[in-house]
């Protein structure tokens, strides 16, 4: 079979790009410990405020995302210990990214997202919505305060 030089060149270029894109996913998963949300638990988005799973925050951090805020807007967690976040949305799809950490998940109405992570460094972390959710998306943020763990 006779394939023209430029056609071969473009086929190789496309192949290299596909390998490069797959490599970025592999590096993100292995190198940065990023994981897609795997915890599937459903909830009625119209009954979020009366659901007992989100009424009594305890050792885990429960967060409701809504246009255009996170509830609560400020969270305090201990450093050096596993912290579990449980999130849901009261309206549309949002994102929950703790900037500078591997804490990052989609918050989809009707589902409860959950992840567990450890914050090694005490300090203040910015939480942003990283899924476009409407006109006020750019102001949707919260604050995470990681406190020195008490012995
Ligand atoms: Cu949002």
């Amino acid at each position: 079979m006779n394939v023209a030089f430029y056609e071969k060149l473009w086929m190789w270029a496309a192949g290299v790009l596909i390998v490069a894109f797959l490599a970025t996913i592999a590096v993100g998963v292995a190198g940065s410990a990023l994981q897609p949300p795997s915890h599937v638990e459903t909830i009625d988005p119209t009954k979020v405020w009366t659901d007992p799973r989100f009424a009594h925050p305890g050792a885990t951090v429960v967060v409701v995302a809504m246009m255009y805020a996170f509830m609560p807007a400020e969270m305090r967690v201990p450093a050096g210990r596993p912290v579990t976040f449980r999130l849901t949305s009261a309206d549309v799809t949002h994102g929950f990214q703790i900037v500078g950490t591997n804490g990052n998940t989609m918050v989809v109405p009707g589902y409860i997202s959950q992840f567990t992570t450890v914050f090694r460094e005490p300090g203040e972390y910015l939480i942003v919505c990283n899924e476009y959710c409407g006109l006020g998306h750019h102001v949707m943020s919260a604050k995470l305060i990681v406190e020195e763990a008490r012995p």
Side-chain angles (χ1 to χ4, degrees):
M1 187 167 86
N2 188 20
V3 179
F5 170 74
Y6 284 113
E7 195 166 348
K8 276 187 199 165
L9 188 71
W10 281 108
M11 285 192 300
W12 275 104
V16 166
L17 283 176
I18 289 169
V19 169
F21 294 149
L22 291 175
T24 62
I25 294 171
V27 167
V29 168
S32 307
L34 299 177
Q35 300 164 357
S38 57
H39 182 87
V40 176
E41 186 179 348
T42 58
I43 188 170
D44 181 348
T46 61
K47 297 188 172 76
V48 164
W49 303 111
T50 55
D51 190 292
R53 292 173 290 178
F54 282 83
H56 306 289
T60 53
V61 181
V62 295
V63 182
V64 176
M66 71 202 99
M67 290 189 273
Y68 300 100
F70 295 103
M71 206 21 220
E74 187 177 301
M75 301 149 223
R76 289 177 183 272
V77 298
R81 298 200 182 133
V83 178
T84 298
F85 288 85
R86 286 171 57 76
L87 307 102
T88 192
S89 169
D91 40 47
V92 299
T93 298
H94 296 281
F96 182 86
Q97 180 178 8
I98 306 167
V99 177
T101 72
N102 67 348
N104 186 0
T105 188
M106 271 178 105
V107 188
V108 180
Y111 292 89
I112 295 172
S113 304
Q114 179 174 314
F115 68 90
T116 300
T117 190
V118 176
F119 300 98
R120 304 262 173 237
E121 293 297 319
E124 282 189 17
Y125 294 83
L126 175 68
I127 298 170
V128 295
C129 173
N130 59 9
E131 296 282 341
Y132 182 74
C133 55
L135 291 177
H137 167 71
H138 62 287
V139 298
M140 186 169 171
S141 67
K143 189 197 292 181
L144 177 75
I145 299 168
V146 178
E147 297 175 315
E148 204 81 58
R150 293 181 199 104

